[in-house]
Amino acid sequence: QVWQIRLDMHLLNHDGNITDAASIAGIVALCHFRRPDVSVQGEEVTVYTPEERDPVPLSIHHMPICVSFAFFHQGTYLLVDPTEREERVMDGLLVIAMNKHHEICTIQSSGVVMLLPDQILRCSKITAVKVAEITDLIQKALENDQKARKEGGKFGFAESIPNQRITAFKMESAAVDTNNVEEQAGEIIAKADPPSEVFASPVLHTPGTAQIGEGIESSWGDLEESEKEEAAEEEGESEVAAFECQKMETEDTSTPRETKSEEPIVLSDSEEEEVVILEPQELPRKTR
């Protein structure tokens, strides 16, 4: 059985060379982490709480530290630990991961620059010096933290930052009495000044400002000028069409209709054998 450990990193500020910063933060977090102590007797596994036994550190054999190099003008100029602005204009990037024993763990090159063997050897020598310095800083920080924890002193991220930066505006917690809230609210309302005069009509102080008062009538649904003209034209056309229709109806009524016979018209239904007799004046007229 093994422990499964996952390391999550959250970037608070990215000002360049995020690979080196992430590698240092990751290795320090793994070195600082403590897992619960475990005992195994046969097939029985017991995981102890921190109150029962002190947690134990992980088995970390070495600390691989990444060092980044930025190249400019096709490798003519070399820069260690580039910033975010320098990364925008660099031609290529070389990342070397090495431990304090001068053992290269990984090499990664990116960009459009072609590196020569001498340039890579030069970067590896610089990496060895930087890794030794960073490893010493990490070990001293871990030792100081462990010493502070044993002595019961202050430790952690919040205590490592000066008060004038993050904790400058912190306030001590204070109890709030809410027993007489209704009475206090009533006194405040009673002592408050009456509301100012309400404007019955909108007041426009200067063009472009808001109006104070009841406001004006809503213009929702009003037609634009072009729409009003189109509506007027359509209304005029409909009136002309109605006038012509009325004129044709009057002409139709004034002209006598021709009928072939004054005899009643007989309509028969073949299915029901019913006969309906209609007088000539009762026939339906077609109207337009």
Side-chain angles (χ1 to χ4, degrees), residues 16-273:
N17 198 10
I18 193 63
T19 304
D20 296 8
S23 68
I24 296 173
I27 193 63
V28 172
L30 294 175
C31 294
H32 185 268
F33 177 74
R34 299 291 187 271
R35 65 167 179 83
D37 195 5
V38 179
S39 64
V40 181
Q41 296 179 356
E43 296 182 356
E44 182 180 358
V45 179
T46 304
V47 180
Y48 298 97
T49 62
E51 290 78 12
E52 296 174 347
R53 289 188 181 181
D54 292 336
V56 296
L58 301 178
S59 299
I60 298 178
H61 302 287
H62 65 106
M63 298 182 184
I65 305 298
C66 294
V67 179
S68 298
F69 300 89
F71 296 94
F72 303 89
H73 295 285
Q74 296 299 321
T76 305
Y77 300 100
L78 175 65
L79 183 64
V80 183
D81 190 7
T83 62
E84 192 267 339
R85 289 187 176 182
E86 293 167 347
E87 289 180 350
R88 293 183 183 181
V89 296
M90 67 182 179
D91 295 333
L93 182 68
L94 178 66
V95 180
I96 301 178
M98 183 184 297
N99 56 22
K100 66 177 182 180
H101 305 294
H102 297 182
E103 296 175 348
I104 296 178
C105 303
T106 181
I107 295 179
Q108 181 182 5
S109 177
S110 60
V112 297
V113 64
M114 299 295 294
L115 299 178
L116 300 175
D118 294 340
Q119 293 175 322
I120 298 177
L121 290 175
R122 180 188 176 192
C123 293
S124 63
K125 294 179 181 179
I126 298 175
T127 302
V129 177
K130 291 294 182 182
V131 167
E133 296 176 356
I134 297 173
T135 303
D136 291 341
L137 293 175
I138 292 175
Q139 291 177 348
K140 289 180 181 179
L142 293 174
E143 292 174 0
N144 294 335
D145 178 81
Q146 186 176 4
K147 183 179 179 181
R149 289 175 183 272
K150 288 183 178 180
E151 295 177 356
K154 296 181 179 181
F155 52 86
F157 175 76
E159 298 299 334
S160 64
I161 302 298
N163 290 335
Q164 64 269 20
R165 293 186 181 180
I166 292 181
T167 58
F169 300 102
K170 68 178 182 179
M171 299 178 61
E172 299 294 337
S173 59
V176 179
D177 187 9
T178 59
N179 295 326
N180 301 326
V181 174
E182 295 183 359
E183 298 179 0
Q184 295 177 2
E187 294 177 358
I188 294 174
I189 295 174
K191 295 179 181 180
D193 296 332
S196 58
E197 182 182 357
V198 178
F199 294 91
S201 59
V203 178
L204 187 62
H205 296 283
T206 57
T209 60
Q211 293 182 348
I212 303 175
E214 297 179 356
I216 58 178
E217 296 182 358
S218 176
S219 61
W220 180 262
D222 291 350
L223 300 177
E224 300 291 339
E225 294 296 334
S226 58
E227 296 178 351
K228 290 181 180 180
E229 294 178 0
E230 294 178 359
E233 292 178 359
E234 293 178 358
E235 184 178 358
E237 292 177 358
S238 60
E239 291 179 357
V240 172
F243 177 75
E244 292 179 354
C245 180
Q246 183 179 5
K247 182 178 179 181
M248 293 179 64
E249 288 182 357
T250 53
E251 291 177 355
D252 189 11
T253 54
S254 60
T255 305
R257 290 179 301 157
E258 294 181 0
T259 57
K260 295 182 180 180
S261 174
E262 296 296 336
E263 296 179 358
I265 300 174
V266 179
L267 301 177
S268 63
D269 191 350
S270 61
E271 295 180 359
E272 299 181 0
E273 297 297 336

